[in-house]
Amino acid sequence: MSLSRRKLHIGIDASNIRSGGGLTHLVRLLNAADQDGTSLARVTIWTSSRTAQQLPRHAWITPVTPAWCNGGLLHQAIGQQYHLPRELKIAGCHVLFSPGGTLPWQCPVPTVTMSQNMLPFEPLQADLFGRWSLMRLKMQLLRYSQGASFSRAQGLIFLTNYARNAIEGLLKTVTPRTALIPHGIEERFKRAPRPQRRLEDCSEARPFRVIYVSILMPYKHQIEVAQAIAALQKQGMPIEANFIGAPWGQYGKTFQQLLRKLDPEARMLKYTGHAPFEKLHELYHEADAFVFASSCENLPNILIEGMAAGLPIACSNLGPMPEVLGDAGTYFDPSSVASITHALQQLAEDHAMRAKLAQAAWQKAHAYSWKTCANDTFEFIEHVVRQHEGGF
């Protein structure tokens, strides 16, 4: 029976998806999938036992947790290359979808993968971790493995035009069958913009509250943001910053040491560490403004969360941030304390501009839907399979 007259059985390699944005994407994608309204019949997911427990419980979803999915990185890599192709064939899958970006070298079915991490493809950003660091080495290895996977896949999904242009320009050869499918945003983040307080109505007791949500890593530039906030405080501005995100390595330690030096009593420079994803929307809704200082993103999901929360935004001018935020924010060079200081000062002092930017950002955020993401993803996968089998 040809595929045009039967339902689609998709195999998903989630063996390297354990937490973070990759897990959020997979869970939201499956939750939003319209299994009844499409040719999607079954999904079999190769993943770890821990990840399997967090997947949606639908009759058409079958998690598979072989030993190689639960082992270390080397065990997973070997299993992906040697066990997964055979297991795909035994399961009767029509296609392999690998959202983690890496494919087996030989696969018995057509393959679709996606680009979710720009660090492997922006060496100058990876260098921020240190020239001889393990992270930089890891990014070099990922550039090779993901680049090779992108080149031999039958379908490749990008999240932004910025990522597509940068990766295609670097690799020179990628699959000609590509799609632009951004992630969605959960409804709980969405809140219409509130009336903007005048800066003169703020005080040390009721400061202008800025929030920055991101893991503490060199390319997130929390150190420069903290120094900019401290400079504004020194000028007499009643401004408070709350940094939220898990610490990473030496950068996390250095950042926390800096905060203790700049604000020993943590009165105006606050670091609350990791916050559960389920609670993040509440923290956004308590803030007056949002800052996003990353210099390397594929799709800045956190920026979109801030947009959806109806916050005025001061944002990095690098990567895909201008593509996503457009004219709905004020921009700065994330490596320059002076540039960040100027952008935040502009935002704080002009409440009318804040109101205009918050409204524009909030409206732009409505374009990001998990339902649209799921529909477009599974339609693209079906399109790739049917072209591969001559269905069109």
Side-chain angles (χ1 to χ4, degrees):
M1 184 183 296
S2 70
L3 185 59
S4 60
R5 295 193 298 272
R6 58 186 165 108
K7 290 282 191 174
L8 192 62
H9 181 184
I10 298 175
I12 297 181
D13 176 16
S15 58
N16 61 351
I17 295 177
R18 302 296 175 96
S19 60
L23 180 59
T24 299
H25 167 259
L26 180 61
V27 171
R28 300 297 180 265
L29 189 76
L30 294 171
N31 268 327
D34 183 10
Q35 191 259 348
D36 293 328
T38 67
S39 63
L40 176 62
R42 293 174 57 197
V43 172
T44 300
I45 305 173
W46 279 262
T47 189
S48 68
S49 299
R50 182 176 178 181
T51 299
Q53 294 174 1
Q54 301 178 67
L55 297 177
R57 299 289 192 267
H58 298 311
W60 49 276
I61 296 176
T62 304
V64 178
T65 58
W68 62 268
C69 283
N70 290 285
L73 291 176
L74 181 60
H75 202 182
Q76 291 173 35
I78 294 173
Q80 182 189 59
Q81 296 300 323
Y82 296 102
H83 297 302
L84 180 59
R86 176 176 55 84
E87 293 174 17
L88 283 164
K89 191 171 183 179
I90 293 172
C93 296
H94 301 123
V95 60
L96 171 63
F97 176 42
S98 178
T102 304
L103 296 168
W105 281 97
Q106 299 291 332
C107 195
V109 294
T111 56
V112 176
T113 189
M114 63 189 299
S115 167
Q116 297 200 69
N117 187 357
M118 280 304 295
L119 267 177
F121 302 99
E122 294 194 327
L124 293 179
Q125 299 300 321
D127 286 349
L128 295 175
F129 291 90
R131 185 167 181 81
W132 307 108
S133 66
L134 288 176
M135 179 62 82
R136 183 173 180 271
L137 174 60
K138 178 182 177 181
M139 292 305 109
Q140 289 177 324
L141 293 174
L142 279 176
R143 186 192 316 173
Y144 171 76
S145 62
Q146 291 192 1
S149 293
F150 294 168
S151 297
R152 66 177 182 272
Q154 278 73 52
L156 176 57
I157 296 172
F158 290 105
L159 307 183
T160 57
N161 279 312
Y162 172 85
R164 171 156 44 193
N165 294 336
I167 291 174
E168 288 184 343
L170 182 65
L171 297 181
K172 306 302 182 185
T173 58
V174 296
T175 174
R177 195 170 297 120
T178 65
L180 181 65
I181 307 175
H183 292 176
I185 184 75
E186 293 185 39
E187 289 297 318
R188 62 188 171 92
F189 286 100
K190 295 179 181 177
R191 184 178 178 185
R194 282 77 71 203
Q196 297 295 317
R197 290 191 294 160
R198 294 175 179 270
L199 187 60
E200 51 265 35
D201 294 331
C202 298
S203 65
E204 186 172 335
R206 297 183 66 251
F208 183 73
R209 298 159 300 180
V210 176
I211 187 174
Y212 185 10
V213 179
S214 241
I215 187 172
L216 302 185
M217 280 188 166
Y219 70 96
K220 299 291 188 175
H221 298 281
Q222 283 94 348
I223 286 176
E224 289 86 347
V225 173
Q227 291 171 329
I229 296 288
L232 292 171
Q233 291 168 352
K234 192 172 182 179
Q235 295 173 19
M237 182 180 290
I239 185 171
E240 172 189 292
N242 187 10
F243 297 88
I244 299 169
W248 182 90
Q250 183 58 46
Y251 184 84
K253 296 176 183 177
T254 302
F255 173 73
Q256 292 177 75
Q257 290 169 357
L258 175 67
L259 289 196
R260 287 192 291 270
K261 178 181 178 181
L262 294 174
D263 187 3
E265 298 180 5
R267 288 167 44 193
M268 306 297 278
L269 287 172
K270 303 178 184 297
Y271 172 58
T272 54
H274 170 74
F277 182 65
E278 295 75 18
K279 299 289 185 181
L280 275 182
H281 62 288
E282 299 173 3
L283 299 173
Y284 286 117
H285 297 161
E286 294 172 356
D288 293 309
F290 182 78
V291 61
F292 191 70
S294 177
S295 55
C296 183
E297 298 290 328
N298 197 306
L299 175 71
N301 297 315
I302 293 171
L303 172 60
I304 300 170
E305 292 168 4
M307 294 163 61
L311 293 173
I313 296 171
C315 186
S316 164
N317 62 5
L318 299 181
M321 275 59 85
E323 176 184 341
V324 172
L325 185 58
D327 59 0
T330 182
Y331 291 96
F332 55 77
D333 174 357
S335 66
S336 167
V337 174
S339 180
I340 299 171
T341 303
H342 177 70
L344 287 172
Q345 184 171 8
Q346 271 191 312
L347 202 65
E349 291 181 343
D350 191 338
H351 75 281
M353 180 181 73
R354 271 189 270 128
K356 180 180 178 181
L357 294 179
Q359 183 68 30
W362 180 67
Q363 290 175 339
K364 282 180 177 292
H366 284 74
Y368 296 90
S369 158
W370 281 118
K371 186 67 176 176
T372 300
C373 175
N375 289 342
D376 290 351
T377 298
F378 290 114
E379 285 179 8
F380 178 66
I381 292 173
E382 178 184 357
H383 178 71
V384 168
V385 176
R386 293 189 188 283
Q387 281 201 329
H388 181 77
E389 296 196 356
F392 289 162

